[in-house]
Amino acid sequence: MKRSAIRQLWQARWLWALLALGAQACVVNPVPTPFTSGEANAGGGASKVEDATSAGDASGGADTALVFPGGTDSSSDASAADSSTGADSVLGKDSSAAPPDSIGNTGLSQAGAQDFGLFRAILEAGGIPKPATLDDLGFFAEHKLDYPDPLCGQDMCMHALLGVMGNMITGSTCTLVQIGLNTPLKVEEQTRPPLDLVLAIDTSTSMQGEPIAHVQQGLQQMLDQLQPGDTVSLVAFADAAVVLASGVPLANKAQVEKAILQLKAGGQTDLFAGLFQAFQLASSLHQPGREARVVLLSDGASTTGLQAPAKLVSMAASYAKLGIGLTTIGVGGNAAAAVLADLAEVGAGQFYFLDKPAGVKEVFTEEVKTFLIPVALDVHIAVKVGGGYVLKAVYGTHGWQGGSDGGVISIPTLFLAGRLAAGEPLPGTGEGRRGGGGAILIELVPLPGVQDKGVTELTLTWKHPKTGAVATQNVAVVGALYPGAQIPDGGLFSSPTVEKGFVMLNVLAAFQLACALALDNDPGAAQGVLLALQPAVSKWLSGQAKPDPDIADDMKYVAMFIANLQKAAQQTPVSKPPDPWPKD
């Protein structure tokens, strides 16, 4: 058995071992039981309050305390805070006074996100994805969440939203703190330093025909999104790497277009040669005051030359320290997704998997506006858990380090996300959905009997990419109920946005568990997980005042996954073992 298959099988069995521990959990469990409080939650009807953010000096930050109805402070007034003293402003309001979340705010995306494209492509082809195909950071980043207005007085604001509810499978109580990051900056208003852009394009035999034609169209359209003063270089690689254009000013766009039209597909794939040549070229062009970035596009793993993924990642990390970023794009089902995602993460960029070649045009034209504009560097969110809770898991980031009482989330770079509102239509068929911004979700387990409503204390620090100034922001989250108390039907939410985050987490967990069960040769059990989730999410969708295109699209793939599982060989009964998670 191949090592990757052994590892995936081990991951599936490790997951079941974890479930068997009997720990309380927010997300799915493998028993399709009737819905109780979880069903009530699915229809909405929750109590909601806004989070209050006081304006603060960018060097000192804004302090926020989020208080639920019935929390430790029931004052209906917000007192301004002097950010230099570290005093909190407190707002406690009845849910009826809370305005809805604002829309039109620009979200922020973390580097290294693996988008949802590969998972979708496998399902659309009638296959069953492996557990490693779905990345929580990338999955969340494909969802737009409408956070409150960014009024902290800085270029980046942190929002902490609290939800206490029954999960969407069995109704077991779930406590989530959802961290959202947004900015008052607008994509169209941003200016950036002149850019030296180096494009490394795979031209191996598998790119022949439609793929290479779409790449050429996308590259030509991308030129229109660049700015005067930018330069473009083009490296084509197959059996070897060839420089077709080097540091061509945008004013000589015709020369670049001619090089693009010279792209011809044929030969094997020497990924190392292509990336090495691109980095060397970017390094020779890089000057102080200019931005340098390599964009690597490939449709497959290396088939010739140096083929050690660790060497590729090490090279990308070394050039990132020199200020040369890397964005990676995978095309087609044979793309080396894990390697490309690792490269993007160390290169302070994004990884895009294009399930259809036509999607390359979207990435080259739309995402070039955002992935080249960092908003924050060296981002750290310190998490301190209240005495009445134990931290169980953190989702939606690769940078978590900590334990049951807290820890630190570290994010090298944050970029502007493309979509401005959750209600915006998704891109057309073949282009996928990208650029939502996503969320970080902290799952907490309450310790019943503790007379303390404090949930978490969060401290955000980050460095401005242009000035180097360090900014801070503090948020304290206080609940309406003591830990372990009975929650009302429909749950308690500080914002409608955390309801969507809760649904996203349940969908993600159901997908991951179904993948693990299918890998463990139990497609019937995998079906049961998805069939148990379907009605609760459908009910949530029908209860929304406005349609949510993200979750609706997720459910399309839930149905597709179920259909693929039903066709699987060696079908097993649609049933699960007894519920491993006790009720709170």
Side-chain angles (χ1 to χ4, degrees):
M1 184 180 293
K2 292 183 178 180
R3 181 176 298 178
S4 60
I6 294 172
R7 182 174 65 252
Q8 290 169 340
L9 182 59
W10 178 87
Q11 288 172 337
R13 293 186 176 177
W14 173 85
L15 177 59
W16 277 112
L18 178 64
L19 301 182
L21 292 176
Q24 302 174 43
C26 291
V27 292
V28 303
N29 77 75
V31 186
T33 55
F35 295 105
T36 54
S37 59
E39 185 176 26
N41 171 63
S47 301
K48 311 180 197 323
V49 293
E50 65 179 343
D51 69 333
T53 309
S54 61
D57 181 82
S59 61
D63 293 340
T64 304
L66 182 148
V67 182
F68 271 71
T72 56
D73 188 324
S74 59
S75 169
S76 61
D77 296 323
S79 59
D82 181 355
S83 60
S84 63
T85 66
D88 290 336
S89 77
V90 179
L91 177 63
K93 288 188 176 182
D94 181 81
S95 60
S96 62
D101 287 357
S102 299
I103 61 173
N105 294 320
T106 307
L108 297 172
S109 294
Q110 302 173 52
Q114 175 183 335
D115 70 5
F116 196 31
L118 179 57
F119 190 87
R120 289 196 307 259
I122 293 171
L123 291 176
E124 289 171 352
I128 298 173
K130 300 292 192 298
T133 308
L134 192 59
D135 169 49
D136 58 336
L137 169 57
F139 180 72
F140 289 170
E142 293 244 29
H143 295 72
K144 173 60 180 171
L145 293 149
D146 290 331
Y147 293 109
D149 286 331
L151 302 176
C152 64
Q154 302 174 5
D155 282 355
M156 178 172 71
C157 296
M158 175 173 64
H159 306 278
L161 312 176
L162 179 60
V164 186
M165 71 293 281
N167 75 55
M168 303 185 83
I169 303 297
T170 64
S172 296
T173 300
C174 169
T175 301
L176 284 180
V177 173
Q178 178 172 318
I179 300 174
L181 300 167
N182 65 359
T183 176
L185 303 176
K186 304 299 182 186
V187 174
E188 64 276 8
E189 297 174 358
Q190 298 313 298
T191 59
R192 56 167 172 77
L195 170 69
D196 296 313
L197 181 62
V198 180
L199 302 161
I201 307 299
D202 182 350
T203 56
S204 59
T205 300
S206 54
M207 289 290 290
Q208 286 180 343
E210 186 181 59
I212 198 68
H214 283 297
V215 168
Q216 290 172 319
Q217 293 169 19
L219 289 172
Q220 289 175 301
Q221 293 175 14
M222 180 207 65
L223 296 179
D224 295 331
Q225 306 300 325
L226 297 177
Q227 301 173 6
D230 293 345
T231 70
V232 181
S233 302
L234 182 61
V235 175
F237 65 93
D239 296 309
V242 179
V243 177
L244 298 179
S246 176
V248 179
L250 192 63
N252 298 336
K253 186 168 68 171
Q255 181 181 343
V256 181
E257 290 176 329
K258 181 179 179 181
I260 290 170
L261 294 175
Q262 289 176 347
L263 293 172
K264 304 294 181 184
Q268 300 189 65
T269 305
D270 192 339
L271 192 60
F272 185 90
L275 188 57
F276 178 76
Q277 183 66 71
F279 274 133
Q280 287 280 90
L281 189 52
S283 180
S284 68
L285 297 169
H286 192 28
Q287 302 176 26
R290 297 181 64 88
E291 187 89 10
R293 178 162 293 269
V294 172
V295 175
L296 171 68
L297 182 145
S298 179
D299 75 332
S302 298
T303 57
T304 188
L306 184 59
Q307 300 178 44
K311 295 292 185 182
L312 289 166
V313 173
S314 177
M315 177 171 59
S318 297
Y319 279 99
K321 292 178 182 178
L322 299 176
I324 300 172
L326 174 66
T327 293
T328 60
I329 304 170
V331 182
N334 294 322
V339 175
L340 294 175
D342 288 345
L343 288 170
E345 186 160 16
V346 300
Q350 302 282 34
F351 165 55
Y352 300 96
F353 179 84
L354 305 178
D355 41 349
K356 296 180 176 63
V360 72
K361 290 182 284 187
E362 177 194 4
V363 171
F364 280 153
T365 57
E366 294 300 321
E367 294 298 334
V368 75
K369 301 175 184 178
T370 59
F371 65 57
L372 299 176
I373 307 176
V375 174
L377 304 175
D378 297 333
V379 180
H380 300 279
I381 303 173
V383 180
K384 181 181 178 181
V385 177
Y389 295 88
V390 172
L391 191 151
K392 184 177 184 295
V394 177
Y395 308 89
T397 181
H398 296 161
W400 166 251
Q401 288 187 325
S404 61
D405 59 350
V408 177
I409 299 165
S410 299
I411 305 170
T413 316
L414 287 168
F415 298 91
L416 292 171
R419 288 167 59 201
L420 292 179
E424 286 183 352
L426 299 181
T429 302
E431 298 182 6
R433 68 180 192 273
R434 299 179 177 85
I440 298 172
L441 298 177
I442 301 173
E443 179 186 351
L444 301 171
V445 177
L447 301 173
V450 178
Q451 301 299 298
D452 183 356
K453 295 181 181 178
V455 181
T456 54
E457 295 178 9
L458 306 170
T459 300
L460 168 69
T461 62
W462 57 283
K463 185 169 69 176
H464 197 285
K466 294 181 179 178
T467 67
V470 176
T472 65
Q473 185 185 351
N474 301 308
V475 177
V477 181
V478 180
L481 304 171
Y482 290 122
Q486 180 66 39
I487 62 171
D489 288 346
L492 288 172
F493 300 93
S494 67
S495 159
T497 295
V498 74
E499 288 188 71
K500 179 173 178 178
F502 164 67
V503 177
M504 286 162 41
L505 179 58
N506 275 263
V507 173
L508 169 75
F511 276 149
Q512 289 178 328
L513 187 53
C515 289
L517 289 166
L519 183 66
D520 211 21
N521 295 314
D522 196 351
Q527 283 183 65
V529 171
L530 299 171
L531 289 169
L533 178 81
Q534 236 179 356
V537 178
S538 297
K539 184 173 182 179
W540 182 85
L541 278 169
S542 65
Q544 301 306 295
K546 295 181 179 179
D548 189 292
D550 289 326
I551 303 299
D553 196 57
D554 290 342
M555 294 312 292
K556 180 177 76 173
Y557 289 96
V558 167
M560 199 177 295
F561 202 161
I562 292 170
N564 292 354
L565 288 165
Q566 289 172 342
K567 299 174 184 176
Q570 298 178 334
Q571 187 60 254
T572 56
V574 181
S575 61
K576 312 295 172 304
D579 186 355
W581 289 318
K583 299 291 188 294
D584 290 344

